[in-house]
Amino acid sequence: MALFLLLTGCQSVSKTTDKVGSWLGVKSAVPKVDSKGIVDISQTTLNQMEKFSENMPKNQWVYMKNKKQDVYILQNKSDDQSILSFRFNCQMNTQEPAFYLYNAKGEQILSAYDDKLGQIQFLLDYKNDLNPFNLYSSQKLDSFKKELATAKTIKIYHAEHLYRFENRHAELLNRPVSCQE
C-alpha cells in the first residue's frame, strides 16, 4: 500500500482496463519478484499493484522499478505486514536520505526527521543505535549504512513497540531510489 504514494493517477485508467479485461475473461498477471529481489512495475496496472502489495514477499528487501515514471522504491515487508523503506541513494543529490515505516494499512508510523515522535532506536543484530538520520551530521548515517550491509535483522523500537525485519537482499540498499515522499 505504501508504494502507491509514488504512483501517478495514470494508473487509475488502467484499473478500468483491468475490469473490462476481467469481464472478457482476461487475467491480469501480478508482477513477480526475481531471485535478486527486483521487480519491474513499469507495465503494471493499479489492480495488479494492489495484488502485488498484498502478496509482496516478506522478510527481504524488494526493489521496485518503474522506468516509465522514473520511480524506484525499496521496501521490506515484515511478518506483521509493516513496511520499512530506506532511501539512502537518492536519484537527486538535493534530497536527503530517509526512512519511513508504515503499518499494515499503509499509514506512515515513523519517518527519519520527525522530532515530534520521540526517540527511535535501531537495533542491527542486537547493536543498538539511536536514529542515525540526522540533518546535521552524515557521519552517523555512514557508519549505520556499513553496519546495515552485514546485519541479519533490523529492529526498530519506538513507543514500546518493536518492529522486526529480516535483512535479506541487503545489496539492494546500494541501488538508487526515488526519495520524494
Side-chain angles (χ1 to χ4, degrees), residues 61-63 72-76 83-90 96-102 112 122 124 131-133 141 144-145 148 153-156 165-167 170 172-179:
W61 289 104
V62 175
Y63 184 74
Y72 302 88
I73 306 164
L74 181 65
Q75 293 185 338
N76 191 326
I83 294 178
L84 176 61
S85 178
F86 277 133
R87 299 174 186 173
F88 289 129
N89 301 308
C90 299
E96 295 293 329
F99 85 90
Y100 296 90
L101 181 65
Y102 303 93
F122 283 84
L124 302 178
N131 186 354
F133 294 88
L141 183 60
F144 178 77
K145 285 173 27 178
L148 186 60
T153 60
I154 304 165
K155 295 179 183 174
I156 301 173
F165 300 87
E166 295 294 322
N167 198 27
L172 294 173
L173 293 165
N174 294 320
R175 288 192 167 247
V177 293
S178 305
C179 291

mmCIF file of all heavy atoms in Angstrom, residues 61-63 72-76 83-90 96-102 112 122 124 131-133 141 144-145 148 153-156 165-167 170 172-179:
data_model
loop_
_atom_site.group_PDB
_atom_site.id
_atom_site.type_symbol
_atom_site.label_atom_id
_atom_site.label_comp_id
_atom_site.label_asym_id
_atom_site.label_seq_id
_atom_site.Cartn_x
_atom_site.Cartn_y
_atom_site.Cartn_z
ATOM 1 N N TRP A 61 14.367 -7.380 1.256
ATOM 2 C CA TRP A 61 14.255 -6.134 0.511
ATOM 3 C C TRP A 61 13.728 -6.437 -0.881
ATOM 4 O O TRP A 61 14.132 -7.411 -1.509
ATOM 5 C CB TRP A 61 15.605 -5.429 0.431
ATOM 6 C CG TRP A 61 16.013 -4.876 1.749
ATOM 7 C CD1 TRP A 61 16.954 -5.393 2.605
ATOM 8 C CD2 TRP A 61 15.453 -3.744 2.395
ATOM 9 N NE1 TRP A 61 17.010 -4.623 3.737
ATOM 10 C CE2 TRP A 61 16.100 -3.609 3.647
ATOM 11 C CE3 TRP A 61 14.468 -2.827 2.070
ATOM 12 C CZ2 TRP A 61 15.800 -2.592 4.541
ATOM 13 C CZ3 TRP A 61 14.170 -1.809 2.956
ATOM 14 C CH2 TRP A 61 14.833 -1.706 4.175
ATOM 15 N N VAL A 62 12.821 -5.586 -1.349
ATOM 16 C CA VAL A 62 12.276 -5.686 -2.697
ATOM 17 C C VAL A 62 12.501 -4.327 -3.366
ATOM 18 O O VAL A 62 12.106 -3.296 -2.833
ATOM 19 C CB VAL A 62 10.774 -6.042 -2.683
ATOM 20 C CG1 VAL A 62 10.205 -6.020 -4.090
ATOM 21 C CG2 VAL A 62 10.554 -7.401 -2.036
ATOM 22 N N TYR A 63 13.159 -4.371 -4.511
ATOM 23 C CA TYR A 63 13.457 -3.165 -5.281
ATOM 24 C C TYR A 63 12.473 -3.098 -6.440
ATOM 25 O O TYR A 63 12.499 -3.948 -7.323
ATOM 26 C CB TYR A 63 14.895 -3.205 -5.782
ATOM 27 C CG TYR A 63 15.344 -1.963 -6.500
ATOM 28 C CD1 TYR A 63 15.622 -0.795 -5.800
ATOM 29 C CD2 TYR A 63 15.535 -1.966 -7.880
ATOM 30 C CE1 TYR A 63 16.076 0.338 -6.457
ATOM 31 C CE2 TYR A 63 15.979 -0.835 -8.541
ATOM 32 C CZ TYR A 63 16.248 0.314 -7.823
ATOM 33 O OH TYR A 63 16.688 1.444 -8.478
ATOM 34 N N TYR A 72 11.760 4.580 -8.389
ATOM 35 C CA TYR A 72 12.443 3.401 -7.879
ATOM 36 C C TYR A 72 12.236 3.352 -6.367
ATOM 37 O O TYR A 72 12.556 4.316 -5.662
ATOM 38 C CB TYR A 72 13.933 3.449 -8.230
ATOM 39 C CG TYR A 72 14.126 3.550 -9.724
ATOM 40 C CD1 TYR A 72 14.148 4.794 -10.357
ATOM 41 C CD2 TYR A 72 14.232 2.403 -10.499
ATOM 42 C CE1 TYR A 72 14.279 4.882 -11.737
ATOM 43 C CE2 TYR A 72 14.366 2.484 -11.879
ATOM 44 C CZ TYR A 72 14.387 3.735 -12.490
ATOM 45 O OH TYR A 72 14.511 3.809 -13.846
ATOM 46 N N ILE A 73 11.694 2.241 -5.877
ATOM 47 C CA ILE A 73 11.289 2.117 -4.477
ATOM 48 C C ILE A 73 11.949 0.882 -3.875
ATOM 49 O O ILE A 73 12.017 -0.167 -4.517
ATOM 50 C CB ILE A 73 9.752 1.957 -4.381
ATOM 51 C CG1 ILE A 73 9.038 3.089 -5.105
ATOM 52 C CG2 ILE A 73 9.304 1.879 -2.932
ATOM 53 C CD1 ILE A 73 7.573 2.809 -5.387
ATOM 54 N N LEU A 74 12.397 1.009 -2.641
ATOM 55 C CA LEU A 74 12.988 -0.107 -1.917
ATOM 56 C C LEU A 74 12.205 -0.308 -0.632
ATOM 57 O O LEU A 74 12.108 0.607 0.184
ATOM 58 C CB LEU A 74 14.460 0.189 -1.603
ATOM 59 C CG LEU A 74 15.236 -0.894 -0.876
ATOM 60 C CD1 LEU A 74 15.358 -2.142 -1.762
ATOM 61 C CD2 LEU A 74 16.608 -0.388 -0.498
ATOM 62 N N GLN A 75 11.626 -1.509 -0.475
ATOM 63 C CA GLN A 75 10.799 -1.784 0.700
ATOM 64 C C GLN A 75 11.071 -3.171 1.253
ATOM 65 O O GLN A 75 11.496 -4.064 0.528
ATOM 66 C CB GLN A 75 9.313 -1.666 0.365
ATOM 67 C CG GLN A 75 8.885 -0.267 0.031
ATOM 68 C CD GLN A 75 7.395 -0.160 -0.188
ATOM 69 O OE1 GLN A 75 6.706 -1.126 -0.485
ATOM 70 N NE2 GLN A 75 6.877 1.048 -0.049
ATOM 71 N N ASN A 76 10.758 -3.313 2.529
ATOM 72 C CA ASN A 76 10.905 -4.586 3.226
ATOM 73 C C ASN A 76 9.630 -4.786 4.043
ATOM 74 O O ASN A 76 9.286 -3.940 4.863
ATOM 75 C CB ASN A 76 12.127 -4.531 4.143
ATOM 76 C CG ASN A 76 12.514 -5.875 4.698
ATOM 77 O OD1 ASN A 76 11.683 -6.722 4.959
ATOM 78 N ND2 ASN A 76 13.811 -6.052 4.912
ATOM 79 N N ILE A 83 5.820 -2.166 6.811
ATOM 80 C CA ILE A 83 6.720 -1.968 5.679
ATOM 81 C C ILE A 83 7.753 -0.911 6.045
ATOM 82 O O ILE A 83 7.408 0.189 6.475
ATOM 83 C CB ILE A 83 5.948 -1.552 4.416
ATOM 84 C CG1 ILE A 83 5.042 -2.702 3.971
ATOM 85 C CG2 ILE A 83 6.902 -1.147 3.304
ATOM 86 C CD1 ILE A 83 4.190 -2.399 2.759
ATOM 87 N N LEU A 84 9.010 -1.268 5.845
ATOM 88 C CA LEU A 84 10.134 -0.366 6.075
ATOM 89 C C LEU A 84 10.693 0.045 4.720
ATOM 90 O O LEU A 84 10.892 -0.797 3.843
ATOM 91 C CB LEU A 84 11.217 -1.081 6.891
ATOM 92 C CG LEU A 84 12.512 -0.324 7.138
ATOM 93 C CD1 LEU A 84 12.274 0.964 7.924
ATOM 94 C CD2 LEU A 84 13.515 -1.223 7.868
ATOM 95 N N SER A 85 10.931 1.326 4.561
ATOM 96 C CA SER A 85 11.512 1.840 3.331
ATOM 97 C C SER A 85 12.740 2.674 3.687
ATOM 98 O O SER A 85 12.618 3.660 4.403
ATOM 99 C CB SER A 85 10.484 2.698 2.587
ATOM 100 O OG SER A 85 11.044 3.238 1.414
ATOM 101 N N PHE A 86 13.907 2.240 3.221
ATOM 102 C CA PHE A 86 15.131 3.030 3.364
ATOM 103 C C PHE A 86 15.396 3.731 2.054
ATOM 104 O O PHE A 86 15.243 3.141 0.980
ATOM 105 C CB PHE A 86 16.338 2.145 3.703
ATOM 106 C CG PHE A 86 16.475 1.815 5.153
ATOM 107 C CD1 PHE A 86 16.711 0.516 5.549
ATOM 108 C CD2 PHE A 86 16.395 2.795 6.134
ATOM 109 C CE1 PHE A 86 16.860 0.194 6.881
ATOM 110 C CE2 PHE A 86 16.536 2.475 7.474
ATOM 111 C CZ PHE A 86 16.770 1.180 7.849
ATOM 112 N N ARG A 87 15.801 4.975 2.155
ATOM 113 C CA ARG A 87 16.154 5.757 0.966
ATOM 114 C C ARG A 87 17.534 6.358 1.199
ATOM 115 O O ARG A 87 17.656 7.458 1.716
ATOM 116 C CB ARG A 87 15.109 6.828 0.724
ATOM 117 C CG ARG A 87 13.751 6.188 0.479
ATOM 118 C CD ARG A 87 12.656 7.167 0.365
ATOM 119 N NE ARG A 87 11.386 6.454 0.273
ATOM 120 C CZ ARG A 87 10.228 7.049 0.297
ATOM 121 N NH1 ARG A 87 10.151 8.348 0.418
ATOM 122 N NH2 ARG A 87 9.127 6.343 0.212
ATOM 123 N N PHE A 88 18.556 5.590 0.829
ATOM 124 C CA PHE A 88 19.927 6.024 1.045
ATOM 125 C C PHE A 88 20.510 6.730 -0.168
ATOM 126 O O PHE A 88 21.125 7.762 -0.052
ATOM 127 C CB PHE A 88 20.821 4.828 1.383
ATOM 128 C CG PHE A 88 20.556 4.250 2.749
ATOM 129 C CD1 PHE A 88 20.346 2.903 2.903
ATOM 130 C CD2 PHE A 88 20.535 5.048 3.875
ATOM 131 C CE1 PHE A 88 20.107 2.352 4.149
ATOM 132 C CE2 PHE A 88 20.299 4.513 5.132
ATOM 133 C CZ PHE A 88 20.086 3.160 5.265
ATOM 134 N N ASN A 89 20.363 6.148 -1.331
ATOM 135 C CA ASN A 89 20.992 6.662 -2.551
ATOM 136 C C ASN A 89 19.957 7.361 -3.417
ATOM 137 O O ASN A 89 19.441 6.791 -4.374
ATOM 138 C CB ASN A 89 21.665 5.517 -3.310
ATOM 139 C CG ASN A 89 22.709 4.839 -2.456
ATOM 140 O OD1 ASN A 89 23.572 5.496 -1.900
ATOM 141 N ND2 ASN A 89 22.601 3.528 -2.314
ATOM 142 N N CYS A 90 19.662 8.594 -3.057
ATOM 143 C CA CYS A 90 18.632 9.366 -3.760
ATOM 144 C C CYS A 90 19.078 9.673 -5.183
ATOM 145 O O CYS A 90 20.238 10.010 -5.422
ATOM 146 C CB CYS A 90 18.353 10.668 -3.023
ATOM 147 S SG CYS A 90 17.732 10.428 -1.344
ATOM 148 N N GLU A 96 17.579 14.412 0.817
ATOM 149 C CA GLU A 96 18.246 13.789 1.950
ATOM 150 C C GLU A 96 17.851 12.315 2.060
ATOM 151 O O GLU A 96 16.694 11.960 1.836
ATOM 152 C CB GLU A 96 17.829 14.493 3.251
ATOM 153 C CG GLU A 96 18.288 15.933 3.337
ATOM 154 C CD GLU A 96 19.792 16.071 3.447
ATOM 155 O OE1 GLU A 96 20.447 15.177 4.011
ATOM 156 O OE2 GLU A 96 20.311 17.082 2.951
ATOM 157 N N PRO A 97 18.792 11.457 2.450
ATOM 158 C CA PRO A 97 18.444 10.065 2.742
ATOM 159 C C PRO A 97 17.402 10.025 3.863
ATOM 160 O O PRO A 97 17.366 10.920 4.715
ATOM 161 C CB PRO A 97 19.764 9.451 3.212
ATOM 162 C CG PRO A 97 20.820 10.353 2.677
ATOM 163 C CD PRO A 97 20.211 11.717 2.634
ATOM 164 N N ALA A 98 16.578 8.998 3.860
ATOM 165 C CA ALA A 98 15.498 8.936 4.855
ATOM 166 C C ALA A 98 15.058 7.495 5.054
ATOM 167 O O ALA A 98 15.491 6.590 4.354
ATOM 168 C CB ALA A 98 14.313 9.779 4.400
ATOM 169 N N PHE A 99 14.191 7.310 6.036
ATOM 170 C CA PHE A 99 13.498 6.036 6.189
ATOM 171 C C PHE A 99 12.045 6.351 6.513
ATOM 172 O O PHE A 99 11.717 7.425 7.028
ATOM 173 C CB PHE A 99 14.121 5.158 7.288
ATOM 174 C CG PHE A 99 13.615 5.455 8.677
ATOM 175 C CD1 PHE A 99 12.509 4.795 9.189
ATOM 176 C CD2 PHE A 99 14.232 6.410 9.463
ATOM 177 C CE1 PHE A 99 12.025 5.077 10.460
ATOM 178 C CE2 PHE A 99 13.762 6.699 10.731
ATOM 179 C CZ PHE A 99 12.662 6.037 11.236
ATOM 180 N N TYR A 100 11.179 5.399 6.191
ATOM 181 C CA TYR A 100 9.759 5.507 6.509
ATOM 182 C C TYR A 100 9.297 4.139 6.975
ATOM 183 O O TYR A 100 9.706 3.117 6.432
ATOM 184 C CB TYR A 100 8.937 5.946 5.292
ATOM 185 C CG TYR A 100 9.316 7.335 4.833
ATOM 186 C CD1 TYR A 100 10.315 7.521 3.884
ATOM 187 C CD2 TYR A 100 8.706 8.458 5.381
ATOM 188 C CE1 TYR A 100 10.693 8.784 3.491
ATOM 189 C CE2 TYR A 100 9.077 9.724 4.985
ATOM 190 C CZ TYR A 100 10.073 9.882 4.033
ATOM 191 O OH TYR A 100 10.452 11.151 3.653
ATOM 192 N N LEU A 101 8.442 4.137 7.974
ATOM 193 C CA LEU A 101 7.854 2.907 8.482
ATOM 194 C C LEU A 101 6.342 3.057 8.386
ATOM 195 O O LEU A 101 5.776 4.052 8.854
ATOM 196 C CB LEU A 101 8.281 2.653 9.935
ATOM 197 C CG LEU A 101 7.744 1.378 10.586
ATOM 198 C CD1 LEU A 101 8.295 0.139 9.881
ATOM 199 C CD2 LEU A 101 8.112 1.347 12.059
ATOM 200 N N TYR A 102 5.708 2.070 7.744
ATOM 201 C CA TYR A 102 4.258 2.077 7.537
ATOM 202 C C TYR A 102 3.645 0.886 8.258
ATOM 203 O O TYR A 102 4.254 -0.175 8.337
ATOM 204 C CB TYR A 102 3.936 1.962 6.040
ATOM 205 C CG TYR A 102 4.557 3.046 5.196
ATOM 206 C CD1 TYR A 102 5.793 2.846 4.592
ATOM 207 C CD2 TYR A 102 3.915 4.263 5.002
ATOM 208 C CE1 TYR A 102 6.374 3.831 3.814
ATOM 209 C CE2 TYR A 102 4.491 5.250 4.227
ATOM 210 C CZ TYR A 102 5.719 5.030 3.629
ATOM 211 O OH TYR A 102 6.294 6.020 2.863
ATOM 212 N N ALA A 112 12.193 9.586 9.200
ATOM 213 C CA ALA A 112 13.562 9.877 9.605
ATOM 214 C C ALA A 112 13.725 11.157 10.422
ATOM 215 O O ALA A 112 14.431 11.165 11.410
ATOM 216 C CB ALA A 112 14.447 9.949 8.369
ATOM 217 N N PHE A 122 17.281 1.945 16.542
ATOM 218 C CA PHE A 122 17.514 0.901 15.560
ATOM 219 C C PHE A 122 18.411 -0.144 16.201
ATOM 220 O O PHE A 122 19.410 0.197 16.830
ATOM 221 C CB PHE A 122 18.216 1.453 14.319
ATOM 222 C CG PHE A 122 17.311 2.204 13.398
ATOM 223 C CD1 PHE A 122 17.020 3.540 13.624
ATOM 224 C CD2 PHE A 122 16.748 1.578 12.300
ATOM 225 C CE1 PHE A 122 16.183 4.238 12.773
ATOM 226 C CE2 PHE A 122 15.908 2.269 11.450
ATOM 227 C CZ PHE A 122 15.622 3.599 11.691
ATOM 228 N N LEU A 124 20.571 -3.363 15.025
ATOM 229 C CA LEU A 124 21.084 -4.183 13.940
ATOM 230 C C LEU A 124 21.806 -5.356 14.575
ATOM 231 O O LEU A 124 22.862 -5.174 15.180
ATOM 232 C CB LEU A 124 22.043 -3.382 13.056
ATOM 233 C CG LEU A 124 21.472 -2.113 12.417
ATOM 234 C CD1 LEU A 124 22.549 -1.411 11.604
ATOM 235 C CD2 LEU A 124 20.270 -2.438 11.551
ATOM 236 N N ASN A 131 18.349 6.918 16.298
ATOM 237 C CA ASN A 131 18.017 7.255 14.921
ATOM 238 C C ASN A 131 19.251 7.851 14.221
ATOM 239 O O ASN A 131 19.704 8.929 14.583
ATOM 240 C CB ASN A 131 16.853 8.245 14.913
ATOM 241 C CG ASN A 131 16.346 8.530 13.520
ATOM 242 O OD1 ASN A 131 16.906 8.093 12.530
ATOM 243 N ND2 ASN A 131 15.272 9.285 13.449
ATOM 244 N N PRO A 132 19.820 7.148 13.229
ATOM 245 C CA PRO A 132 21.034 7.632 12.566
ATOM 246 C C PRO A 132 20.774 8.742 11.544
ATOM 247 O O PRO A 132 21.723 9.306 11.000
ATOM 248 C CB PRO A 132 21.579 6.377 11.882
ATOM 249 C CG PRO A 132 20.366 5.579 11.602
ATOM 250 C CD PRO A 132 19.422 5.837 12.746
ATOM 251 N N PHE A 133 19.532 9.038 11.285
ATOM 252 C CA PHE A 133 19.206 10.071 10.303
ATOM 253 C C PHE A 133 19.226 11.417 11.012
ATOM 254 O O PHE A 133 18.360 11.729 11.824
ATOM 255 C CB PHE A 133 17.839 9.799 9.668
ATOM 256 C CG PHE A 133 17.837 8.547 8.848
ATOM 257 C CD1 PHE A 133 17.564 7.321 9.431
ATOM 258 C CD2 PHE A 133 18.133 8.590 7.496
ATOM 259 C CE1 PHE A 133 17.569 6.157 8.678
ATOM 260 C CE2 PHE A 133 18.149 7.429 6.740
ATOM 261 C CZ PHE A 133 17.867 6.215 7.334
ATOM 262 N N LEU A 141 25.147 8.309 9.924
ATOM 263 C CA LEU A 141 24.432 7.581 8.879
ATOM 264 C C LEU A 141 25.392 6.702 8.076
ATOM 265 O O LEU A 141 25.062 5.567 7.742
ATOM 266 C CB LEU A 141 23.678 8.539 7.961
ATOM 267 C CG LEU A 141 22.831 7.897 6.873
ATOM 268 C CD1 LEU A 141 21.764 6.996 7.479
ATOM 269 C CD2 LEU A 141 22.192 8.963 6.009
ATOM 270 N N PHE A 144 26.133 3.651 10.078
ATOM 271 C CA PHE A 144 24.916 2.841 10.116
ATOM 272 C C PHE A 144 24.766 2.044 8.818
ATOM 273 O O PHE A 144 24.464 0.849 8.836
ATOM 274 C CB PHE A 144 23.694 3.733 10.355
ATOM 275 C CG PHE A 144 22.382 3.009 10.358
ATOM 276 C CD1 PHE A 144 21.988 2.262 11.459
ATOM 277 C CD2 PHE A 144 21.533 3.085 9.263
ATOM 278 C CE1 PHE A 144 20.763 1.595 11.470
ATOM 279 C CE2 PHE A 144 20.316 2.420 9.269
ATOM 280 C CZ PHE A 144 19.935 1.678 10.372
ATOM 281 N N LYS A 145 24.988 2.684 7.677
ATOM 282 C CA LYS A 145 24.876 2.009 6.384
ATOM 283 C C LYS A 145 25.882 0.869 6.266
ATOM 284 O O LYS A 145 25.555 -0.192 5.734
ATOM 285 C CB LYS A 145 25.065 3.013 5.243
ATOM 286 C CG LYS A 145 23.864 3.893 5.041
ATOM 287 C CD LYS A 145 23.996 5.028 4.065
ATOM 288 C CE LYS A 145 24.938 4.961 2.958
ATOM 289 N NZ LYS A 145 24.907 6.137 2.061
ATOM 290 N N LEU A 148 24.621 -1.939 8.442
ATOM 291 C CA LEU A 148 23.405 -2.480 7.842
ATOM 292 C C LEU A 148 23.725 -3.472 6.718
ATOM 293 O O LEU A 148 23.005 -4.453 6.528
ATOM 294 C CB LEU A 148 22.532 -1.337 7.314
ATOM 295 C CG LEU A 148 21.165 -1.679 6.782
ATOM 296 C CD1 LEU A 148 20.315 -2.337 7.859
ATOM 297 C CD2 LEU A 148 20.475 -0.420 6.270
ATOM 298 N N THR A 153 19.286 -8.954 10.907
ATOM 299 C CA THR A 153 17.959 -8.439 11.262
ATOM 300 C C THR A 153 18.042 -6.950 11.564
ATOM 301 O O THR A 153 19.060 -6.435 12.010
ATOM 302 C CB THR A 153 17.374 -9.148 12.496
ATOM 303 O OG1 THR A 153 18.234 -8.944 13.603
ATOM 304 C CG2 THR A 153 17.161 -10.623 12.251
ATOM 305 N N ILE A 154 16.929 -6.300 11.311
ATOM 306 C CA ILE A 154 16.760 -4.886 11.622
ATOM 307 C C ILE A 154 15.556 -4.796 12.542
ATOM 308 O O ILE A 154 14.478 -5.294 12.204
ATOM 309 C CB ILE A 154 16.463 -4.053 10.357
ATOM 310 C CG1 ILE A 154 17.545 -4.253 9.308
ATOM 311 C CG2 ILE A 154 16.277 -2.578 10.713
ATOM 312 C CD1 ILE A 154 17.140 -3.767 7.934
ATOM 313 N N LYS A 155 15.760 -4.180 13.680
ATOM 314 C CA LYS A 155 14.640 -3.950 14.591
ATOM 315 C C LYS A 155 14.548 -2.457 14.853
ATOM 316 O O LYS A 155 15.570 -1.779 14.975
ATOM 317 C CB LYS A 155 14.839 -4.708 15.902
ATOM 318 C CG LYS A 155 14.823 -6.215 15.728
ATOM 319 C CD LYS A 155 15.054 -6.919 17.033
ATOM 320 C CE LYS A 155 15.120 -8.422 16.829
ATOM 321 N NZ LYS A 155 15.476 -9.123 18.061
ATOM 322 N N ILE A 156 13.337 -1.986 14.934
ATOM 323 C CA ILE A 156 13.089 -0.583 15.252
ATOM 324 C C ILE A 156 12.202 -0.564 16.485
ATOM 325 O O ILE A 156 11.128 -1.175 16.493
ATOM 326 C CB ILE A 156 12.411 0.156 14.083
ATOM 327 C CG1 ILE A 156 13.295 0.074 12.832
ATOM 328 C CG2 ILE A 156 12.131 1.608 14.461
ATOM 329 C CD1 ILE A 156 12.636 0.615 11.583
ATOM 330 N N PHE A 165 12.457 -6.778 11.016
ATOM 331 C CA PHE A 165 12.601 -7.044 9.588
ATOM 332 C C PHE A 165 13.851 -7.886 9.360
ATOM 333 O O PHE A 165 14.879 -7.659 9.994
ATOM 334 C CB PHE A 165 12.746 -5.734 8.800
ATOM 335 C CG PHE A 165 11.576 -4.819 8.939
ATOM 336 C CD1 PHE A 165 11.514 -3.912 9.981
ATOM 337 C CD2 PHE A 165 10.521 -4.881 8.050
ATOM 338 C CE1 PHE A 165 10.420 -3.066 10.128
ATOM 339 C CE2 PHE A 165 9.426 -4.044 8.191
ATOM 340 C CZ PHE A 165 9.373 -3.142 9.232
ATOM 341 N N GLU A 166 13.759 -8.841 8.450
ATOM 342 C CA GLU A 166 14.930 -9.598 8.018
ATOM 343 C C GLU A 166 15.643 -8.745 6.969
ATOM 344 O O GLU A 166 15.000 -8.015 6.209
ATOM 345 C CB GLU A 166 14.527 -10.941 7.415
ATOM 346 C CG GLU A 166 13.887 -11.885 8.398
ATOM 347 C CD GLU A 166 14.833 -12.338 9.495
ATOM 348 O OE1 GLU A 166 16.025 -12.557 9.209
ATOM 349 O OE2 GLU A 166 14.364 -12.468 10.639
ATOM 350 N N ASN A 167 16.938 -8.860 6.903
ATOM 351 C CA ASN A 167 17.735 -8.011 6.017
ATOM 352 C C ASN A 167 18.247 -8.777 4.798
ATOM 353 O O ASN A 167 19.347 -8.544 4.330
ATOM 354 C CB ASN A 167 18.902 -7.407 6.806
ATOM 355 C CG ASN A 167 19.509 -6.208 6.116
ATOM 356 O OD1 ASN A 167 18.848 -5.510 5.362
ATOM 357 N ND2 ASN A 167 20.781 -5.967 6.372
ATOM 358 N N ALA A 170 20.300 -7.390 1.194
ATOM 359 C CA ALA A 170 20.824 -6.108 1.666
ATOM 360 C C ALA A 170 21.618 -5.381 0.584
ATOM 361 O O ALA A 170 21.757 -4.152 0.639
ATOM 362 C CB ALA A 170 21.695 -6.312 2.902
ATOM 363 N N LEU A 172 20.657 -4.606 -2.181
ATOM 364 C CA LEU A 172 19.741 -3.671 -2.849
ATOM 365 C C LEU A 172 19.751 -2.285 -2.200
ATOM 366 O O LEU A 172 19.323 -1.308 -2.821
ATOM 367 C CB LEU A 172 18.316 -4.235 -2.849
ATOM 368 C CG LEU A 172 18.108 -5.502 -3.671
ATOM 369 C CD1 LEU A 172 16.706 -6.055 -3.468
ATOM 370 C CD2 LEU A 172 18.388 -5.248 -5.143
ATOM 371 N N LEU A 173 20.243 -2.194 -0.978
ATOM 372 C CA LEU A 173 20.312 -0.907 -0.289
ATOM 373 C C LEU A 173 21.228 0.082 -1.004
ATOM 374 O O LEU A 173 21.144 1.295 -0.775
ATOM 375 C CB LEU A 173 20.769 -1.096 1.156
ATOM 376 C CG LEU A 173 19.782 -1.832 2.053
ATOM 377 C CD1 LEU A 173 20.453 -2.308 3.337
ATOM 378 C CD2 LEU A 173 18.587 -0.948 2.368
ATOM 379 N N ASN A 174 22.085 -0.408 -1.888
ATOM 380 C CA ASN A 174 23.005 0.461 -2.638
ATOM 381 C C ASN A 174 22.406 0.991 -3.925
ATOM 382 O O ASN A 174 23.024 1.807 -4.598
ATOM 383 C CB ASN A 174 24.301 -0.303 -2.950
ATOM 384 C CG ASN A 174 25.060 -0.629 -1.693
ATOM 385 O OD1 ASN A 174 25.152 0.183 -0.773
ATOM 386 N ND2 ASN A 174 25.594 -1.831 -1.631
ATOM 387 N N ARG A 175 21.247 0.544 -4.297
ATOM 388 C CA ARG A 175 20.630 0.971 -5.558
ATOM 389 C C ARG A 175 20.031 2.374 -5.422
ATOM 390 O O ARG A 175 19.552 2.739 -4.362
ATOM 391 C CB ARG A 175 19.550 -0.010 -5.984
ATOM 392 C CG ARG A 175 20.130 -1.318 -6.465
ATOM 393 C CD ARG A 175 19.045 -2.123 -7.135
ATOM 394 N NE ARG A 175 19.633 -3.229 -7.855
ATOM 395 C CZ ARG A 175 19.621 -3.331 -9.175
ATOM 396 N NH1 ARG A 175 19.074 -2.406 -9.909
ATOM 397 N NH2 ARG A 175 20.164 -4.367 -9.762
ATOM 398 N N PRO A 176 19.988 3.119 -6.527
ATOM 399 C CA PRO A 176 19.362 4.455 -6.472
ATOM 400 C C PRO A 176 17.850 4.343 -6.303
ATOM 401 O O PRO A 176 17.223 3.443 -6.856
ATOM 402 C CB PRO A 176 19.715 5.057 -7.836
ATOM 403 C CG PRO A 176 20.031 3.895 -8.714
ATOM 404 C CD PRO A 176 20.531 2.789 -7.834
ATOM 405 N N VAL A 177 17.299 5.232 -5.501
ATOM 406 C CA VAL A 177 15.859 5.223 -5.222
ATOM 407 C C VAL A 177 15.284 6.627 -5.371
ATOM 408 O O VAL A 177 16.007 7.617 -5.353
ATOM 409 C CB VAL A 177 15.544 4.690 -3.801
ATOM 410 C CG1 VAL A 177 15.882 3.223 -3.679
ATOM 411 C CG2 VAL A 177 16.257 5.505 -2.752
ATOM 412 N N SER A 178 13.982 6.680 -5.513
ATOM 413 C CA SER A 178 13.254 7.949 -5.548
ATOM 414 C C SER A 178 13.033 8.382 -4.101
ATOM 415 O O SER A 178 12.472 7.621 -3.328
ATOM 416 C CB SER A 178 11.913 7.771 -6.263
ATOM 417 O OG SER A 178 12.130 7.222 -7.542
ATOM 418 N N CYS A 179 13.473 9.571 -3.767
ATOM 419 C CA CYS A 179 13.424 9.981 -2.365
ATOM 420 C C CYS A 179 12.301 10.964 -2.061
ATOM 421 O O CYS A 179 12.144 11.382 -0.925
ATOM 422 C CB CYS A 179 14.753 10.587 -1.945
ATOM 423 S SG CYS A 179 16.081 9.356 -1.860
#
